[in-house]
Amino acid sequence: MRKIPALLISAGLLAVSLTACAPSTGPGCESAVPSGESSTIVKVSGDEGAKPTVDFPTPLKVSSTERTVVREGEGPGTVEGQQVSIDWSVYNGTSGELIEQSAYDGSQALSFALVDGQLMPGVQQGLLCATEGSRVTLVVPPEDAFGEAGNPQLGVEPEDSLVFVIDVNHSYLPRANGTPKAAAEGMPSVVLDADGVPGITIPSSAAPTDLKVAVLKQGDGETIEEGDQVVVHYTGVLWDTKEVFDSSWTRGAPASFAAAEGSETVQNGVIKGFADALIGQQVGSQIIAVIPPELGYGEQGNGAVPPNATLVFVVDILGIA
């Protein structure tokens, strides 16, 4: 997973957001960021999948973030915490100069989760409710961007607004959407809350000694092959203590890694049992895996995982990056 450029990260920004009117979610949702005179006056042309031609009068300033949909995509709008992949062009609203731009050929597309507090507030709010395949224009004032300090490295003064043209190439599932399946005998039981977060109950019996995998929801998306970069939500529980030791849900954002055992040659890989449980599954599925120590962290353990621990994971498979 590529790191998000400093331009989009909220570290050091003023804590200004648009939470007063939170967006609705799902089909037909309406963004909390309205279209306005400034975002509408930005003229964008160019073919889908190619670098856009952007023109706007300078200086372009706004008092609050504005958003205009240049090209409408398909499907439901994005929600808080959902993973997206984008191409982007960013301009200084005062000078009109291009600050940063991706290649629009797949080589520099960014993938990240829409998590409040981790992204520039104007970008975070402006992308909520965007649909896959859409192109949106955002005009972001200083208080929703770099704040009073500006960003001298990028040539952004404290009073400069920013103009973004963003293509939402892909939006990953926010949670598994497959068909529910009957619980497998002898496996831990799983109950989901209203947001899809799993609660896991471990049986009182002894842990199995080999890898056990069951499908809780059967998806119908792409099939995961070894080495694929997958986007998932997961919760991990220790069989013996019944304690949660790791969960992407508590961090508010999905995780992304290779469906292969981590090694010197496989970057961002995972423990063998986790990789084996994912390979052959379909996007949209939710699975449960019971992983014995030799396919997990073995005799050495790892952080919150003690030595010789049997692990239980419930995994929502959200997409292949």
Side-chain angles (χ1 to χ4, degrees):
M1 182 66 68
R2 288 168 49 81
K3 292 184 177 179
I4 303 171
L7 185 61
L8 300 183
I9 293 177
S10 65
L13 302 183
L14 295 180
V16 177
S17 63
L18 302 175
T19 56
C21 56
S24 58
T25 59
C29 77
E30 295 181 2
S31 172
V33 177
S35 183
E37 182 178 351
S38 293
S39 62
T40 303
I41 207 172
V42 178
K43 302 303 179 185
V44 183
S45 60
D47 295 334
E48 184 173 355
K51 291 183 179 181
T53 299
V54 181
D55 183 65
F56 56 89
T58 57
L60 190 62
K61 298 183 181 294
V62 287
S63 57
S64 61
T65 298
E66 295 179 4
R67 167 179 123 159
T68 293
V69 177
V70 178
R71 181 180 65 240
E72 188 67 67
E74 298 181 352
T78 56
V79 298
E80 175 77 23
Q82 190 168 355
Q83 191 93 357
V84 296
S85 174
I86 69 166
D87 276 300
W88 76 101
S89 300
V90 191
Y91 297 82
N92 186 308
T94 300
S95 66
E97 294 181 359
L98 178 67
I99 298 174
E100 192 170 69
Q101 187 175 58
S102 60
Y104 289 82
D105 61 2
S107 64
Q108 295 177 332
L110 293 177
S111 186
F112 56 87
L114 298 174
V115 178
D116 193 22
Q118 294 186 18
L119 295 172
M120 183 179 289
V123 173
Q124 157 72 8
Q125 291 292 330
L127 285 179
L128 287 174
C129 284
T131 54
E132 183 174 284
S134 63
R135 170 173 283 177
V136 298
T137 297
L138 305 176
V139 183
V140 180
E143 57 266 32
D144 285 353
F146 294 113
E148 295 178 348
N151 190 317
Q153 282 187 312
L154 297 175
V156 179
E157 299 296 329
E159 68 276 8
D160 291 342
S161 293
L162 299 177
V163 178
F164 290 83
V165 178
I166 298 177
D167 286 8
V168 182
N169 299 328
H170 186 60
S171 56
Y172 297 88
L173 294 172
R175 56 192 284 187
N177 64 352
T179 302
K181 307 288 286 186
E185 185 176 353
M187 294 289 277
S189 60
V190 179
V191 177
L192 307 180
D193 71 10
D195 296 320
V197 181
I200 305 168
T201 301
I202 306 296
S204 57
S205 58
T209 57
D210 54 356
L211 176 66
K212 299 291 186 183
V213 181
V215 177
L216 303 177
K217 295 182 180 180
Q218 180 60 61
D220 60 1
E222 294 179 84
T223 299
I224 296 174
E225 299 181 359
E226 184 173 5
D228 280 345
Q229 193 79 7
V230 294
V231 178
V232 301
H233 258 312
Y234 68 91
T235 294
V237 175
L238 301 172
W239 183 287
D240 288 342
T241 66
K242 301 174 173 53
E243 295 178 349
V244 174
F245 67 89
D246 191 15
S247 177
S248 63
W249 292 100
T250 61
R251 294 190 292 274
S256 176
F257 41 69
E261 186 176 5
S263 66
E264 292 182 0
T265 58
V266 179
Q267 295 184 353
N268 205 21
V270 291
I271 56 175
K272 180 172 174 53
F274 202 117
D276 289 348
L278 285 176
I279 295 167
Q281 305 291 349
Q282 289 180 271
V283 171
S285 296
Q286 181 184 73
I287 64 170
I288 184 169
V290 181
I291 302 174
E294 61 269 22
L295 298 179
Y297 293 107
E299 296 180 353
Q300 74 275 12
N302 183 57
V305 178
N308 299 310
T310 296
L311 311 177
V312 179
F313 284 97
V314 173
V315 186
D316 283 26
I317 303 171
L318 309 179
I320 300 174

